[in-house]
Amino acid sequence: MTDHGGGSGRVIGVLEAILLVGGKGTRLRPLTISAPKPMLPVAGRPVTAHQIARAAEGGVSRVILGTSYRADVFSDYFGNGAEFGVDLRCVVEEVPLGTGGAIRNVADSLESGPDDPVLVFNGDVLTGLDIPALVDAWRDADAAVALYLTRVSDPRAFGLVPTDDNGRVTAFLEKPQTPEEIVTDQINAGCYVFRRSLIDKIPAGRPVSVERETFPGLLAVGEKVIGVVDPGYWLDLGTPLAFVQGSRDLVSGTAPSPLVPEPGACMIMFDARVDPSAAVTGGSVVGVGCAVAAGARVDGSVLFDGAEVGEGALIVDSVIGRNARIGSDVRLDGVVVGDGAQIATGNELAHGARVFPDAELAPTSLRFSSDQT
Ligand code: GDD
Ligand code: MG
């Protein structure tokens, strides 16, 4: 029996976790052109690194990464998992197999016995989930699967998971299409505890959606599937603005991570130069080797490694890609700038604008006026 501290329960022997990190992250383009979504840095480290650190803190001792898109990037970064105190391995899909297919594809690498719990995490969410409590709930209910649920005000982009009075899942409604399907505000928060033998029963060698096929199939044959609503922090990093928010929340301590032991107003990485007259606020991250010039303001934003921000520029709620150059007096608000792009002096971009990698915006002296309509 292992006492893991920090949680409410007990973990027996080796606890394994599968991380699903094979998605393409299309909605985060252009950031995901050069890096897979789970490897994008939030609070200076890849999303996956924060997840592994939290899993290790929650009692997980073996981690299997289910990779597909850009698999090499994961194995290069994480190696055998020693930095995180876990035994880690990467399994690669030749062709993407979907969420359920990816879980099945790593079955040969699991060491758990047929009745043991195996955790599964989506690779693109930040959470404050009490991991041991979810495992305990699964064990106490003698369930086939326990799902981590969270409540959101607009569930349409997620998987809806209604439960009965005893916490048993009654249906799965993945990405509901009609108002009638919106029967609950509880959604699949992207972490499951599976009884290991059920993973072996997922069909091998073809794409399977765990949400659309495996879970409804378990309900159809009367397996006990429970939902556990955890009220803690939860954020899906699916869009650029959510990604910046996740980084902000980690830096400020709103989102918990063992990799951010001392939350603060900003995070300035190694070798970054910030002029004393510049202001870096709101949970911003200034990456390795970045430069922020005199009078510039960086608020609630993420500067990837090597980015440069010119004099007097104002960067709000934005992501600046690796080695991108932002000229003097540029104003960016809610903008994603791809790696290596150059935005010359005077440009103003806002709300959802995306600048593709290596693009160049010419200088301008034109100004938007606030009283124009
Ligand atoms: N290895 C592998 N192979 N991983 C995959 C594949 C694949 O073919 N397809 C998706 N993934 C990974 C993604 O990288 C991501 O970490 C996770 O599986 C979920 O896939 P997404 O594509 O991000 O799904 P989603 O965000 O639309 O919906 C899922 O997450 C929601 C919560 O954020 C579903 O599980 C919803 O039910 C859930 O509410
Ligand atoms: Mg997702």
Side-chain angles (χ1 to χ4, degrees), residues 27 37 122 124 236 238:
R27 283 178 300 162
K37 173 166 59 168
N122 282 356
D124 59 348
D236 173 280

Side-chain angles (χ1 to χ4, degrees), residues 20-23 27 37-38 66-68 93 96-99 102 122-125 157-159 174-175 187-190 192 211 234 236:
L20 302 176
V21 293
R27 283 178 300 162
K37 173 166 59 168
T67 65
S68 164
E93 292 153 44
L97 292 170
T99 47
N122 282 356
D124 59 348
V125 286
F158 303 107
E174 186 66 19
K175 315 278 161 56
I187 61 148
N188 168 12
Y192 327 119
E211 299 89 350
W234 184 84
D236 173 280

Side-chain angles (χ1 to χ4, degrees), residues 229-242:
V229 179
D230 185 301
Y233 182 90
W234 184 84
L235 185 69
D236 173 280
L237 298 170
T239 64
L241 285 186

Side-chain angles (χ1 to χ4, degrees), residues 337-364:
V337 177
D339 294 344
Q342 299 190 34
I343 302 186
T345 184
N347 280 287
E348 293 185 19
L349 298 171
H351 309 305
R354 300 181 189 203
V355 180
F356 271 70
D358 299 319
E360 291 179 24
L361 264 65
T364 178

Side-chain angles (χ1 to χ4, degrees), residues 164-361:
D164 68 14
D165 293 344
N166 300 316
R168 269 186 90 140
V169 172
T170 55
F172 284 92
L173 300 156
E174 186 66 19
K175 315 278 161 56
Q177 301 293 315
T178 62
E180 294 74 45
E181 286 182 296
I182 303 186
V183 295
T184 178
D185 62 355
Q186 293 175 181
I187 61 148
N188 168 12
C191 175
Y192 327 119
V193 181
F194 265 81
R195 187 189 303 142
R196 192 256 151 96
S197 58
L198 293 169
I199 292 177
D200 299 322
K201 288 186 182 153
I202 298 172
R206 69 161 170 89
V208 177
S209 161
V210 77
E211 299 89 350
R212 295 178 195 275
E213 184 175 340
T214 309
F215 291 148
L218 289 173
L219 291 188
V221 298
E223 288 281 7
K224 188 174 193 183
V225 180
I226 63 164
V228 177
V229 179
D230 185 301
Y233 182 90
W234 184 84
L235 185 69
D236 173 280
L237 298 170
T239 64
L241 285 186
F243 168 80
V244 190
Q245 187 190 331
S247 187
R248 267 202 301 267
D249 289 347
L250 282 164
V251 171
S252 65
T254 308
S257 169
L259 302 184
V260 188
E262 289 176 38
C266 66
M267 185 180 271
I268 313 288
M269 307 285 287
F270 173 73
D271 226 8
R273 287 157 291 142
V274 178
D275 188 275
S277 65
V280 180
T281 55
S284 294
V285 179
V286 177
V288 176
C290 287
V292 180
R297 279 177 51 205
V298 178
D299 184 50
S301 297
V302 181
L303 310 189
F304 286 3
D305 295 350
E308 290 185 10
V309 174
E311 279 182 27
L314 176 62
I315 315 289
V316 180
D317 295 348
S318 296
V319 189
I320 312 299
R322 289 173 78 96
N323 300 324
R325 305 256 176 286
I326 310 300
S328 56
D329 297 320
V330 166
R331 288 164 177 260
L332 304 178
D333 186 346
V335 173
V336 179
V337 177
D339 294 344
Q342 299 190 34
I343 302 186
T345 184
N347 280 287
E348 293 185 19
L349 298 171
H351 309 305
R354 300 181 189 203
V355 180
F356 271 70
D358 299 319
E360 291 179 24
L361 264 65

Side-chain angles (χ1 to χ4, degrees), residues 35-101:
K37 173 166 59 168
M39 287 303 288
L40 291 174
V42 281
R45 300 294 297 270
V47 179
T48 306
H50 293 283
Q51 285 190 314
I52 293 173
R54 281 209 87 242
E57 191 181 62
V60 169
S61 51
R62 284 195 86 230
V63 172
I64 300 156
L65 298 182
T67 65
S68 164
Y69 177 62
R70 305 291 310 273
D72 51 314
V73 183
F74 293 93
S75 41
D76 289 352
Y77 189 94
F78 291 106
N80 64 5
E83 180 195 346
F84 301 90
V86 297
D87 169 20
L88 181 141
R89 67 186 51 201
C90 291
V91 175
V92 186
E93 292 153 44
E94 295 303 322
V95 290
L97 292 170
T99 47

